[in-house]
Amino acid sequence: MSTFDLLILPGDGIGTEIMVEVNRIIEWFNKQDNSLTFNCEQDLVGGSAYDAHGVAITDAAMEKALKADAVIFGAVGGPKWDDVSYEARPEAGLLRLRKDLGLFANLRPAICYPALADSSSLKRELVEGLDMLIVRELTGGVYFGEPKEITDLGNGQKRAVDTQLYETYEIDRIARVAFDLAGKRGSLVHSAEKRNVMKSGVLWNEVVTNIHKESYPNIKLEHILADNCAMQLVRNPKQFDVIVTDNLFGDVLSDVAAMLTGSLGMLPSASLGAKDESGKAKAMYEPVHGSAPDIAGKGLANPIAMIASFAMALRYTCDLTAEADMVEKAIANVLDQGLRTGDIMQTGKQQVTTSDMGTAILNELEDLVA
Ligand code: IPM
Ligand code: MG
């Protein structure tokens, strides 16, 4: 009998629509057989939390997140909250979750489903069969470094400061995550930084090099400047297996990688903390795409990245490899059948709504267990 407590945070915009489809899949698992149970609680985050409580996430919701086995997160933000104070802006809820749960390791796989190779903005031969993983440091760097402020200089000028800051242990632990994961895949790690202009890049390079030398003789390590990495991602993406990089470069590079797969609507992610004595790690699962306010409420959103994020929860939090494989297989089958949401639509395929896509994936799950 396995029971997992999930905190569901749909957030804003298309977050609420795509989460409906994940909730249906969770219910489906709950109905399957009584050895696996998900207990779900739902709460607000982002702009919707601001509207209800004046903050991007309440302390009560944070309490629930800290207690849950995993947080399933939709998306936050939208023009409605453009004028909200910086502290209460929707993204602050997401950043507090990452920081307070200690989710330093963000795993962003970019897999190009063969059925979608033509939706990529790159040529089919460049992306078909692509299977890479970006390991992004998520609780440090310029996102959180202090000082972080705007000072009025009093002469009509202001000065803005963000601080890119890394300590050895932060680089050490994310490098180990990357090397460990590479060991289960293609045994190749590219470490991306800007050591040619940034001190944090110099330290990053040094720490990754040392960890590699000491502990991972069987993994191949390549250092790459982050700008060159961006260029190589669009020139020849299949040269990569695992890319490990800091918070900001990881944010940018993972958007590039997402587009290689056909659509930002396809990319899931897992954010993991350190394992405790019992081997459990705090975790949050979220699609890489945002809240897409322009298409929200129209049934146009692609729920696949959200559903694939839940599959990552099955894999990493629940250790349910077969179930995770099954959800991923159901997604691949539905794409093979030619069903497409608008973002991945191609001529000759059938355009479906968010909920049609969810239903099709559920039907596939039914077939796969039959
Ligand atoms: C992401 C997003 C977030 C980030 C935003 C919403 C704060 O772009 O998860 O990639 O910058 O980390
Ligand atoms: Mg981003």
Side-chain angles (χ1 to χ4, degrees):
M1 174 89 191
S2 335
T3 303
F4 298 96
D5 296 331
L6 303 180
L7 177 63
I8 312 282
L9 297 174
D12 310 320
I14 61 167
T16 52
E17 291 163 75
I18 56 179
M19 197 64 88
V20 169
E21 305 313 315
V22 167
N23 278 329
R24 290 169 73 198
I25 288 180
I26 293 172
E27 275 165 34
W28 182 84
F29 272 106
N30 277 345
K31 272 192 276 175
Q32 284 315 294
D33 67 69
N34 44 23
S35 69
L36 175 62
T37 309
F38 294 103
N39 293 324
C40 299
E41 272 204 81
Q42 192 152 321
D43 214 314
L44 300 173
V45 68
S48 57
Y50 178 81
D51 288 344
H53 305 293
V55 287
I57 187 160
T58 60
D59 292 344
M62 276 308 305
E63 279 294 310
K64 291 183 201 166
L66 282 159
K67 284 197 196 116
D69 292 305
V71 177
I72 312 292
F73 186 99
V76 289
K80 183 179 175 199
W81 301 285
D82 276 352
D83 297 327
V84 167
S85 76
Y86 186 80
E87 288 65 37
R89 75 200 189 288
E91 291 76 8
L94 173 60
L95 296 179
R96 181 170 176 202
L97 281 159
R98 289 175 179 171
K99 191 73 178 175
D100 289 7
L101 295 179
L103 308 174
F104 69 88
N106 183 218
L107 280 38
R108 299 191 159 185
I111 293 165
C112 184
Y113 292 89
L116 285 189
D118 292 319
S119 301
S120 171
S121 37
L122 297 194
K123 296 188 204 88
R124 172 178 276 274
E125 61 266 30
L126 285 181
V127 294
E128 192 170 15
L130 174 77
D131 180 355
M132 57 170 289
L133 175 68
I134 296 189
V135 177
R136 168 187 176 192
E137 199 291 325
L138 201 61
T139 50
V142 76
Y143 274 62
F144 297 99
E146 295 284 348
K148 188 180 197 61
E149 63 194 10
I150 300 179
T151 314
D152 200 329
L153 300 179
N155 54 354
Q157 298 288 306
K158 292 179 183 177
R159 179 168 51 218
V161 183
D162 292 285
T163 305
Q164 165 80 347
L165 192 156
Y166 274 107
E167 295 187 16
T168 304
Y169 77 95
E170 297 176 282
I171 305 168
D172 180 308
R173 64 186 181 180
I174 194 72
R176 288 180 194 279
V177 169
F179 287 126
D180 285 338
L181 288 166
K184 297 181 191 156
R185 306 170 38 101
S187 299
L188 170 64
V189 171
H190 281 79
S191 169
E193 31 66 8
K194 282 281 288 177
R195 64 187 178 283
N196 52 349
V197 281
M198 296 167 81
K199 287 290 182 186
S200 58
V202 173
L203 181 64
W204 186 281
N205 185 283
E206 180 187 308
V207 176
V208 173
T209 302
N210 289 343
I211 306 276
H212 177 245
K213 244 190 228 142
E214 280 162 21
S215 312
Y216 296 94
N218 299 325
I219 308 288
K220 187 162 190 265
L221 170 65
E222 303 269 3
H223 296 285
I224 186 167
L225 295 173
D227 54 343
N228 183 30
C229 187
M231 189 270 277
Q232 294 296 339
L233 273 173
V234 290
R235 193 184 76 88
N236 175 20
K238 283 191 263 180
Q239 69 184 286
F240 294 107
D241 176 28
V242 173
I243 296 175
V244 64
T245 190
D246 77 13
N247 205 343
L248 184 60
F249 293 140
D251 181 42
V252 176
L253 295 175
S254 61
D255 266 27
V256 176
M259 211 43 226
L260 304 175
T261 69
S263 164
L264 206 49
M266 298 298 300
L267 212 74
S269 85
S271 305
L272 308 173
K275 287 198 171 117
D276 65 17
E277 312 81 57
S278 64
K280 271 192 174 182
K282 296 253 180 300
M284 180 160 78
Y285 299 89
E286 57 173 308
V288 171
H289 63 71
S291 58
D294 51 323
I295 60 161
K298 299 181 183 155
L300 290 172
N302 183 351
I304 290 180
M306 187 73 250
I307 293 172
S309 299
F310 177 66
M312 290 188 88
L314 293 171
R315 191 178 301 286
Y316 292 104
T317 288
C318 311
D319 213 12
L320 295 168
T321 309
E323 284 77 359
D325 289 346
M326 194 169 70
V327 173
E328 284 163 5
K329 179 88 181 114
I331 293 171
N333 287 355
V334 164
L335 293 172
D336 283 342
Q337 289 156 17
L339 301 191
R340 301 281 188 274
T341 44
D343 57 314
I344 49 175
M345 186 55 193
Q346 299 155 286
T347 39
K349 305 297 178 196
Q350 186 190 345
Q351 185 161 347
V352 298
T353 64
T354 309
S355 66
D356 291 342
M357 184 59 93
T359 304
I361 292 170
L362 275 174
N363 289 341
E364 270 312 303
L365 287 173
E366 288 287 358
D367 286 354
L368 289 171
V369 292

